[in-house]
Each structure stands twice: as structure tokens, then as C-alpha cells.
Amino acid sequence: MATLPAKAEQSTSFQPLYAQVYALMTERIGSGQWQPGALLPNEFQLAAEFKVSQGTVRKALMALEANKLIVRRQGHGTYVARHTAQQALFQFFRIVDLDGTRLTPASRAFAQKSAKATRAQTQALGLKPGAALHSITRVRSFEEDAAIFETIMVPAALMPGLSVILNQEMPEEMYVIYQQHFGITITRADETLAAVAADAQDAAHLQVPEGTPLLEITRIASDLNGKKVELRVSRCKTSAYRYAAEIT
Amino acid sequence: MATLPAKAEQSTSFQPLYAQVYALMTERIGSGQWQPGALLPNEFQLAAEFKVSQGTVRKALMALEANKLIVRRQGHGTYVARHTAQQALFQFFRIVDLDGTRLTPASRAFAQKSAKATRAQTQALGLKPGAALHSITRVRSFEEDAAIFETIMVPAALMPGLSVILNQEMPEEMYVIYQQHFGITITRADETLAAVAADAQDAAHLQVPEGTPLLEITRIASDLNGKKVELRVSRCKTSAYRYAAEIT
DNA sequence: GAGTGGTCTAGACCACGGT
DNA sequence: CCGTGGTCTAGACCACTCG
């Protein structure tokens, strides 16, 4: 959540009306009462329902839109945001070429397994010791050039049957799967980057000599309630690719 | 230039009132008519001056605050944002330790020179071929551990006398200097990251073996008009440090 | 033409910070 | 106490999309 916190309690922690409306609406989205893609009531209907003015509803809607939980289209209506492969890539994929042009990867998965989380993993995801993780390993390529070797780990309890789904279709974007099959909408990712030397496994998958410097991106992705849902470690060649970040 | 421009906007270039007010105010800040740290007139005074309602002024002020050009303090007033070392570090410095804790570097500069920009540099900064660049090379450390070796390049024409200023005081944050001495406020930085092997120079300054993987951060910093002001290349050890980014 | 979101206005009251 | 920004309301009109 970028702009608005949630939860209103007693007089000790006053929340403006629009923040309370915001919280009520995120709850409906998070609970599935409003499904991704659904059309919301218009501003006046919402205002009547929440017993506030249309301007107050508008302020909550603007915040929801800023946090990408809804999409507003003039003359059309307000919709719950839905992850599509393009949208998720545009929002979360930060690898560009040397000119800064956005790239679109092709993914090839080749391993899935379940295992107990290590201490570091439980800590990163805020899980209980010994929780089960499901992990997917894959290689992402740009025009046949294997560029990224990555492992994606999710708490098994959050996504029962994930392996069955992935055996049927291996998607370009995991976040579409999370949302469509498990009602989990990723809204935030925190990444830390380091430079590492390619080990034997990296070298084999990315076709570089062992010891080649690689960009290691560690991501923790969270849903709209701030719950940590996914741990992902990506190792990326930077011979012709870059990680792009903007600070504003 | 004092008040609102001509009305009668054509359909091709319609701008909402609040956007026009926003533009007028950024212009005053950029031109130095409102200096960093200055107290702005209150909302009603601004509304009267621009001949719009207070609500419209408010919307422009909220946008300016979101873009960090002003700071608003309830019961106090609205001020033009001023860079301080802490503020600039908090906003622009993305290196953290392994726990994700923000770090504060100590800098030691050891070289300054002026030279013609290379083709790649003129292209990155949008300069004419052969433009002069002033460059500063320094090492940044965390608790005596030399961690970052970086080169900062600025168009000499933008900052006449920079070397004299830096010989008198070597600041922790260049952006304070840019603002206080040259009226240039950095509001945006675009960074691209790669993994590289330490060369002999890196190895000597950062006390690592040649070939050690380093994080190379290339930054282009821009002022509030979007003008590219600085090119910076930082090479960072990631033995105990990380680059942190968040995606929302 | 009907319905939607987008902009603009005018006025009210509240919370905060300093006198 | 006063002046500031923060919130909330009510109503008006405009711009866009679609049937």
C-alpha cells in the first residue's frame, strides 16, 4: 500500500472518512466480494451506500486507482483491476536492454518441488518454522538468449494444487495464476540486488563461464493486505541487459 | 507571466485549471522566484492571485507535494522543498545492509578534472558533441569499509566554479551543492544496474580481488524541468550491502 | 441521449501550531 | 486566540463512451 493505511479503530487513531471508505472497499476486493474485472457501482451509488458525499467516495477511488487496485474509465465505469500477462509484466518486470527499451521474456520451466522452508526463507516470508514451500525453477529468455535463471517459492498452504495447475499450463506471469486460481492479488514487490559470480548451475543454464558476474535479484511480493506471498531469486546476465529503477 | 495565460484553449491542448496552476508554480520555483525554503502564500491568497477557487489551488499543491517540490505543514504553511544531506540521502540513496536497514555513507573525494564528454556521455546527458564535463571521483564507506567507488559527471556549463566550491568543502550530498550554489533542484533519478567484474582500479579502492563481482549503478539525475543534470557511475561491493528497490 | 467519470466552485467545520 | 492546512459536503457543468 503506497498512499493509504487501513483500519480505523477508536478515537486514539482517527481516520478520515475517505480512508475508512478506502478500507471498506479494499476489504471487499480482498475478500472476493468484488471480483477482479467486476464493474463497481458508480460514485453516487457508492456514496449513498457508505452514507458519505460523492466527493469523499471520489477521493477514496482516486487512492485505489493510484494503488492500482481499480481502473477507472471515463464514460464507462470503475472496474476492479485484473492482472493480465502484459499488465503484470509492465508493472513488475524491470529488465531492459542497453537502450532502456522494455523487454518481454519467454519462460521455460523445468523443475517443481515441495520442501520445508529454511530458516532464512521462513524469516523472509514471515512463516512459521518448518512451513512447506512450493518452488518453481525456470529460465527466461529474450529472443532465444537464456538471460535469467530464477527460483520462485510460495507457501504451499496458500496455493493448494498449484503444481497441478502449472503442469497443465506454464504461464508467462505467475501473478495471473495467483489471482485467477487463488484470489491473491499481488500489489507490491520489494527487491534487493547484489552482484554474484555464476556458479556451475547458473553457467549451464545461462551459457556463460562459471564466475561470470550476474545480477541477483531477490524479490518478496505481497498482496493487497501486505501479506508476503512469494519469494523469488533471479540471476540475470547483464552482458546485454540491465535492471532499471527510477527514483522520484 | 504574472497571472493566468490566455484562455480559449483549443481542443488539441486542453489542460485542466489545476494543471495550469501547477505549471505556473513549478515555473516560479524553477526560476528562483520562490527560493528553496521560502514560505508560500496561503491557499486563499494563491487562489485570488491565480483567479481560481481554493480547491483548485489545493489540488495543484497536493500534486506539488507528491512530487516533493513543496512541503506542507498543517497550522504552519507551505514551503518550497529544500535539500538537506539527510533528505537527499533518504530520497536518493538506495544502498542498505543485509537486513534492509538504510545506511549512511562517509565520502572521500580524491580527484577532480574537466574533460570533453565522450559520445556516450553526450548522448546520455543530451548534450552537444564536445561539451565539457566536470567529473569528481570519490569513495564512499560504511564504518571505514570502502564500499562504493563512483564517478560523478556534470556539464561544466551548468555549474561554473564547481571545482572551487568543492575544494573548499566536500559535501556528503552533491545535490545540496547543486541547489544552494546553482539553483538546480534534482527531483528525479533514473538508474540502470549491471553486474561487472572489478578492474584493477576498483580492486585497489575497494580492497577486493580483481574480478570480484560488483554492482554497477548508472544514474542520470534530472531537475524539476526534466533537464538532465548529472551522470553518475557507482561501483558497489555487495559482500555486505544491497541495492533496494520497491515496486508498487 | 443517457450515464459515466473529470473538473471546478463555494462554503463549512476541524485539527494543528504558534501568539 | 488566530491563521494555517485537512476534511467534508453539495451542486454545477464538461468530456467521454456507447447504444
Side-chain angles (χ1 to χ4, degrees), chain B residues 28-30 33-40 68-71 78-83 179 185:
Chain B
R28 291 197 185 179
I29 295 172
Q33 186 174 345
W34 285 339
Q35 296 279 341
L39 172 63
L40 264 54
K68 300 189 177 64
L69 270 64
I70 61 173
V71 177
T78 299
Y79 298 82
V80 180
R82 177 161 45 189
H83 278 164
Q179 185 179 71
T185 299

Side-chain angles (χ1 to χ4, degrees), chain B:
Chain B
M1 56 159 54
T3 45
L4 278 176
K7 348 184 60 181
E9 296 286 343
Q10 290 304 329
S11 57
T12 54
S13 66
F14 166 77
Q15 285 289 103
L17 265 188
Y18 66 81
Q20 299 176 35
V21 172
Y22 177 98
L24 287 169
M25 292 202 275
T26 53
E27 194 182 326
R28 291 197 185 179
I29 295 172
S31 71
Q33 186 174 345
W34 285 339
Q35 296 279 341
L39 172 63
L40 264 54
N42 71 34
E43 297 182 349
F44 286 95
Q45 292 169 324
L46 289 169
E49 184 175 353
F50 293 127
K51 301 212 169 45
V52 299
S53 76
Q54 176 254 4
T56 301
V57 167
R58 167 173 290 272
K59 193 154 182 181
L61 288 170
M62 300 290 271
L64 287 165
E65 186 182 35
N67 292 352
K68 300 189 177 64
L69 270 64
I70 61 173
V71 177
R72 315 190 75 196
R73 285 162 53 193
Q74 181 172 165
H76 209 175
T78 299
Y79 298 82
V80 180
R82 177 161 45 189
H83 278 164
T84 64
Q86 285 104 323
Q87 188 275 337
L89 277 173
F90 184 80
Q91 185 176 354
F92 292 106
F93 194 66
R94 296 302 193 87
I95 305 297
V96 300
D97 73 9
L98 297 183
D99 300 329
T101 311
R102 299 190 86 97
L103 291 169
T104 303
S107 299
R108 187 170 57 83
F110 62 86
Q112 282 195 63
K113 64 172 182 181
S114 291
K116 277 195 187 175
T118 66
R119 243 215 11 243
Q121 289 165 346
T122 58
Q123 201 168 337
L125 286 170
L127 298 171
K128 287 196 288 265
L133 283 186
H134 191 74
S135 58
I136 302 106
T137 307
R138 65 178 179 180
V139 172
R140 309 187 97 174
S141 306
F142 306 114
E143 302 188 350
E144 308 300 323
D145 177 34
I148 305 173
F149 174 60
E150 74 184 6
T151 304
I152 299 167
M153 289 153 279
V154 295
L158 277 184
M159 312 215 192
L162 176 60
S163 62
V164 178
I165 294 164
L166 293 179
N167 282 332
Q168 289 166 1
E169 51 157 348
M170 189 61 200
E172 193 46 62
E173 262 302 323
M174 297 297 298
Y175 298 170
V176 178
I177 299 287
Y178 298 169
Q179 185 179 71
Q180 292 184 351
H181 289 83
F182 305 102
I184 295 172
T185 299
I186 300 295
T187 59
R188 175 187 182 84
D190 289 281
E191 303 195 318
T192 58
L193 286 79
V196 299
D199 62 20
Q201 197 180 25
D202 300 326
H205 287 112
L206 302 181
Q207 297 168 314
V208 294
E210 229 176 296
T212 302
L214 298 178
L215 202 55
E216 181 181 80
I217 305 158
T218 304
R219 168 188 292 184
I220 293 170
S222 310
D223 72 6
L224 77 181
N225 296 315
K227 182 177 180 59
K228 294 168 185 169
V229 168
E230 180 201 75
L231 172 63
R232 177 185 296 217
V233 179
S234 307
R235 294 190 162 205
C236 180
K237 287 204 293 200
T238 57
S239 48
Y241 314 113
R242 293 288 182 273
Y243 179 94
E246 51 186 49
I247 301 173
T248 55

